[in-house]
Amino acid sequence: MSIAIENFVKAIYKNGKRDNNDTKPGNIAKELGISNAAATDMAKKLAVKDLLHYKKYQELKLTDKGTKMALNVVRKHRLWEALLFKLFDLSLHDIHREAELLEHQTSDLLANKISEYLGNPKFDPHGDPIPNAKGEITTTDTSISLSNAKEGKTYVISRLMSDDKEFFDFCAQHGLKYGNTILVSKQFSKNKMTQTLINNNTILLNKDFTSIIYVNEHH
Amino acid sequence: MSIAIENFVKAIYKNGKRDNNDTKPGNIAKELGISNAAATDMAKKLAVKDLLHYKKYQELKLTDKGTKMALNVVRKHRLWEALLFKLFDLSLHDIHREAELLEHQTSDLLANKISEYLGNPKFDPHGDPIPNAKGEITTTDTSISLSNAKEGKTYVISRLMSDDKEFFDFCAQHGLKYGNTILVSKQFSKNKMTQTLINNNTILLNKDFTSIIYVNEHH
DNA sequence: AATTAATTTTAAGTAAACTTAAATATTTTA
DNA sequence: TAAAATATTTAAGTTTACTTAAAATTAATT
């Protein structure tokens, strides 16, 4: 299967996992940087290949086969991130960018070798779970999105769920790093803004960011 | 530049380095598993991009720009081979196959990180030189092709210059491994057959094989 | 609920990287 | 060196993964 197909299936999988859960062609198109028309075209094509269910104007839903493919790509992506993170001094953003390419050129054999070398890790440096060779995911992730965090509570950042350079630059700048502790000082439920305290600095995060930053309660 | 272009330029580079030195479209096409027509097409296209010189019915000659690109791809290929060889328990053939894909999805930054991690090696597990970031190659390779070896002399295998699975399987089976010692017991100059002694086993190699097995004199 | 706005789909078209078949040129060899 | 064999080129066509523009449908808003 082609890189375009792998990326398409992966985008649906990831979008389906998010808050909004919008897997209509337009959303996938935006994610992949292609036109809506191209996304519709591809959706029809993949329906024929039994990778997804397609009904006009409806959400795209992966079949079992499509989900399996998405999980396989995600597995390779996260294994590469874990390996590159371990071996080289590169930023999480750089590592993500490399993994984004390598994931499509990696045999199952090599993926297994990488996993074995790393001691079969269950989470990548972003805190995201790494599916195993069968596509199974460890779901003991108790984290919640920062947009659902409670005022006055302290949390530990467990995932920075994004591929966007700007986002990672922003994170690096403000101490929003995997494992760091933050205090949610104020939560504006209406427009989903969140005011947090990190290293004694108060920062305001809008919904775009709070919905992709995941945290665990700090005990 | 696309994968197809990178592979095309690499094939010319490699063919130009070999005995025959035949870089006409047909030969490149054979190497890449595409039709002659496709190779001619591509050659014309790359001439426009100033990657090679094209004249009808003549050999294809890389420009400086083309050579640079080829060396960059070769560098990435060999760095991947060296890294995978070091980290994982995989056959040279498997490693070659993975590197063949990864080489096109590797940023210069990552290539440099791999090189640094490995201690900036000058040769890969095949014994082939690894160009540095500037495209310079260490040419202190004193090895000769087995077809030019002398009767009665002992040699150390320094390169197995191939991408072919069958060849590597044959090598593995007969102890033709990087670093192993062999005795050339008889050399048939006419048809270029070579009779060698490896681990007390006599084997006969034809020209196809002796021209791609490189050796250094054993002292 | 009706109109406007936004999205999705259809239709038509493009570029890259191929293919096969036929025409043309070059090599080989008898 | 002329004929036969081989290789290269041209021409026409295919597939994949897009594009833009217009038509159809759904969603939002007042």
Side-chain angles (χ1 to χ4, degrees), chain B residues 2 4 24 33-35 37-38 41 45 57:
Chain B
S2 71
K24 283 187 184 159
I34 61 177
S35 69
D41 257 25
K45 210 174 83 181
Y57 302 105

Side-chain angles (χ1 to χ4, degrees), chain B residues 3-28:
Chain B
I3 294 175
I5 292 177
E6 287 190 350
N7 278 331
F8 199 87
V9 160
K10 190 179 77 166
I12 296 171
Y13 176 80
K14 288 177 108 185
N15 256 28
K17 287 264 155 182
R18 279 212 249 294
D19 285 348
N20 38 354
N21 206 59
D22 187 348
T23 58
K24 283 187 184 159
N27 241 290
I28 305 303

Side-chain angles (χ1 to χ4, degrees), chain B residues 40-206:
Chain B
T40 300
D41 257 25
M42 184 60 107
K44 282 184 188 168
K45 210 174 83 181
L46 298 196
V48 174
K49 288 185 194 285
D50 190 35
L51 288 168
L52 53 80
H53 299 294
Y54 175 72
K55 265 192 199 166
K56 271 191 184 186
Y57 302 105
Q58 309 275 99
E59 308 247 324
L60 304 176
K61 291 220 168 63
L62 292 177
T63 61
D64 284 356
K65 192 176 159 194
T67 305
K68 217 171 174 181
M69 178 184 278
L71 283 164
N72 193 246
V73 178
V74 165
R75 167 174 162 80
K76 286 166 184 173
H77 179 97
R78 293 179 182 167
L79 283 171
W80 274 118
E81 289 204 334
L83 183 71
L84 301 184
F85 187 73
K86 184 192 169 90
L87 296 181
F88 310 127
D89 175 36
L90 284 168
S91 73
L92 272 190
H93 179 262
D94 280 341
I95 280 174
H96 174 80
R97 193 149 42 75
E98 303 288 350
E100 201 69 14
L101 299 176
L102 297 173
E103 65 187 11
H104 305 293
Q105 307 294 169
T106 310
S107 70
D108 290 349
L109 172 67
L110 180 56
N112 292 342
K113 288 284 176 183
I114 296 173
S115 178
E116 186 190 336
Y117 175 82
L118 296 168
N120 299 308
K122 293 208 162 53
F123 296 92
D124 75 6
H126 294 267
D128 294 321
I130 301 174
N132 69 16
K134 290 178 194 156
E136 295 157 349
I137 288 188
T138 299
T139 51
T140 42
D141 183 6
T142 55
S143 63
I144 57 167
S145 123
L146 193 54
S147 58
N148 296 322
K150 296 217 170 58
E151 231 174 77
K153 281 205 169 177
T154 305
Y155 296 91
V156 179
I157 298 175
S158 66
R159 307 168 71 182
L160 302 170
M161 208 167 123
S162 171
D163 320 337
D164 187 47
K165 173 161 168 50
E166 264 185 68
F167 174 71
F168 278 111
D169 285 349
F170 178 88
C171 287
Q173 219 167 4
H174 292 87
L176 288 164
K177 202 182 158 185
Y178 179 65
N180 278 9
T181 301
I182 63 173
L183 167 65
V184 173
S185 47
K186 199 152 194 106
Q187 186 71 276
F188 310 88
S189 62
K190 181 96 184 267
N191 51 13
K192 294 272 186 169
M193 293 276 277
T194 304
Q195 183 180 306
T196 65
L197 203 62
I198 305 166
N199 303 331
N200 292 322
N201 282 313
T202 302
I203 61 172
L204 265 169
L205 300 165
N206 70 12

Side-chain angles (χ1 to χ4, degrees), chain A residues 71-148:
Chain A
L71 283 164
N72 193 246
V73 178
V74 165
R75 167 174 163 80
K76 286 167 184 173
H77 179 96
R78 293 179 183 167
L79 282 171
W80 274 118
E81 288 204 335
L83 184 71
L84 301 184
F85 186 73
K86 184 191 168 91
L87 297 181
F88 310 128
D89 176 35
L90 284 167
S91 72
L92 271 191
H93 180 262
D94 280 342
I95 281 176
H96 174 81
R97 192 150 41 74
E98 303 288 348
E100 201 69 15
L101 299 176
L102 297 173
E103 65 185 12
H104 305 293
Q105 307 293 169
T106 310
S107 69
D108 289 350
L109 173 67
L110 180 56
N112 292 342
K113 289 286 177 183
I114 295 173
S115 178
E116 187 190 335
Y117 175 82
L118 295 168
N120 299 309
K122 292 207 163 55
F123 296 93
D124 74 5
H126 293 268
D128 293 321
I130 301 174
N132 69 16
K134 290 176 194 158
E136 295 157 350
I137 289 189
T138 299
T139 51
T140 43
D141 183 5
T142 56
S143 62
I144 57 167
S145 123
L146 194 52
S147 58
N148 297 320

